[in-house]
Amino acid sequence: MNKVIYLDNAATTQVYPEVLEAMNPYFTEIYGNPSSIYTFAQKANRAVLSARQTLADFIHAKAEEIYFTGGGTESDNWALKAAAEAYESKGKHIITTKIEHHAVLHTCEYLEKKGYEITYLDVNEYGTICSKELEQAIRPDTILISVIAANNEIGTIEPLMEIGQIAKKHGVLFHTDAVQAFGHIGLDVDEMNIDMLSASGHKINGPKGIGLLYVRKGVKIRSFIHGGAQERARRAGTHNVPGIVGFAKAAQLADNAMDEKIAYETGLRDYLIDRVLKEIPYSRLNGERTKRLPNNANFCFRFVEGESLLILLDQKGICASSGSACTSGSLDPSHVLLAIGLPHEIAHGSLRLTLSEKTTKEEIDFTVEQLKEIVDRLRKMSPLYEDFLRNGAK
Ligand SMILES: *Cc1c(COP(=O)(O)O)cnc(C)c1O
């Protein structure tokens, strides 16, 4: 099989042809700077305005609450650093979780060095935070709660509605890193009481290098990139017009097909999970069984090393990940798998497969067959597995 089987849609996605088609004119024909005043440039400006409205509608926000950024990482950095600075006089305490993306975790570490105090909430064995623990962690000097909407490694969806209610009740800002959730599950910033939300184009079949930060009207937010007057002078720099247009087109496509996409991916995901757990001994599913992203499956295979698994899958043309693209290359096991209570040796044998609406049952069948063989092969080389069998598989 020479074809590539792409099962790493949490790392990035294909730009859909419709998205590219929508973007193309803004490179070559309508290339004016949207901030210029002549008619030619105003065509580009109108495209930015329309994209802003589309993306705002998608999460039930207002157009003026959407700020374009260079991606999810920038949006997370902005939300945390700017809120920290703007609300410093109220306090310097921030609540987040142990299973955030590094864009949030490393920003929190930076803020700790600047004198902020961060509470990292624990999660249960499925990766869900406890609302009661969250509420108990709130103090008079708490200025921000930042909780990932859906985890990028294990796919668990957090109780956003409850978190929003708690944040509102205590008058604390609520930011969510919704990069994995946006376009994959329904999000409503009003219903969920979300004050700030990060999203990214390339995780929803849009282009790379474009993201957004939603900031509720009335929230004090500091400028993040200083320069021109773009984005109400809060995020300066000439607009990435093709990127913005492509991001909005991708959101529109996701919006139109959301229910079908969720139903299809959930069915295929459950088929994959059932086959793996049934056909591969000593395997486990990580994350919530049902409250998880429709396209996410994350497994651990005992006595198997994740990196070896990935290399052998790659030889069969299967693109997969051991957790997060950001931790590959490092030998530390995933902080998310440790947070759900897995011991180091088991966390090392993890595999994340993330599907798309274009993934086929044939591809999943092929992948499961290869996986069975590869896991078997790796275990036969493992002295630990040998001991385990000798001791009566206990
Ligand atoms: C991919 C991802 C990011 C980073 O987004 P970029 O656009 O790649 O910078 C942040 N948070 C989560 C949960 C992600 O999955």
Side-chain angles (χ1 to χ4, degrees), residues 4-214:
V4 163
I5 296 183
Y6 188 74
L7 298 178
D8 202 15
N9 286 281
T12 196
T13 58
Q14 179 196 35
V15 171
Y16 279 161
E18 299 94 316
V19 170
L20 184 62
E21 204 181 306
M23 292 170 71
N24 261 330
Y26 295 93
F27 287 107
T28 50
E29 293 158 41
I30 315 168
Y31 55 82
N33 187 324
S35 303
S36 303
I37 62 162
Y38 36 80
T39 315
F40 176 64
Q42 284 311 302
K43 274 181 113 171
N45 190 38
R46 274 201 299 279
V48 172
L49 288 176
S50 152
R52 198 188 299 283
Q53 189 64 56
T54 301
L55 288 159
D57 290 345
F58 191 46
I59 53 171
H60 303 257
K62 297 180 198 74
E64 66 267 26
E65 296 173 318
I66 302 293
Y67 296 87
F68 289 114
T69 66
T73 302
E74 184 186 320
S75 299
D76 285 341
N77 268 263
W78 187 5
L80 270 71
K81 290 176 188 170
E85 201 186 318
Y87 289 87
E88 202 176 16
S89 59
K90 184 191 169 198
K92 296 184 101 176
H93 178 235
I94 293 170
I95 301 171
T96 186
T97 78
K98 288 187 176 162
I99 59 157
E100 296 301 307
H101 188 274
H102 283 134
V104 167
L105 281 184
H106 289 168
T107 305
C108 284
E109 284 167 23
Y110 166 83
L111 288 171
E112 279 177 314
K113 289 198 192 95
K114 292 272 169 190
Y116 288 83
E117 201 185 321
I118 318 276
T119 298
Y120 298 92
L121 295 175
D122 283 317
V123 293
N124 68 13
E125 60 182 310
Y126 303 110
T128 312
I129 68 152
C130 168
S131 318
K132 227 163 102 194
E133 256 172 59
L134 166 67
E135 192 157 19
Q136 282 161 358
I138 297 175
R139 320 188 308 209
D141 61 341
T142 306
I143 53 174
L144 178 69
I145 295 166
S146 182
V147 177
I148 192 164
N151 187 266
N152 51 302
E153 293 189 33
I154 57 174
T156 299
I157 298 169
E158 297 299 331
L160 297 176
M161 201 85 86
E162 286 174 49
I163 300 168
Q165 276 163 5
I166 292 169
K168 191 172 180 187
K169 179 174 150 198
H170 293 271
V172 178
L173 289 184
F174 173 30
H175 164 256
T176 184
D177 174 345
V179 174
Q180 291 290 334
F182 190 88
H184 292 271
I185 58 171
L187 292 169
D188 184 325
V189 291
D190 277 337
E191 206 176 78
M192 295 169 164
N193 285 307
I194 295 167
D195 297 304
M196 291 188 279
L197 176 149
S198 306
S200 176
H202 76 102
K203 301 283 174 79
I204 63 160
N205 305 100
K208 295 171 179 63
I210 183 73
L212 67 80
L213 180 65
Y214 154 79

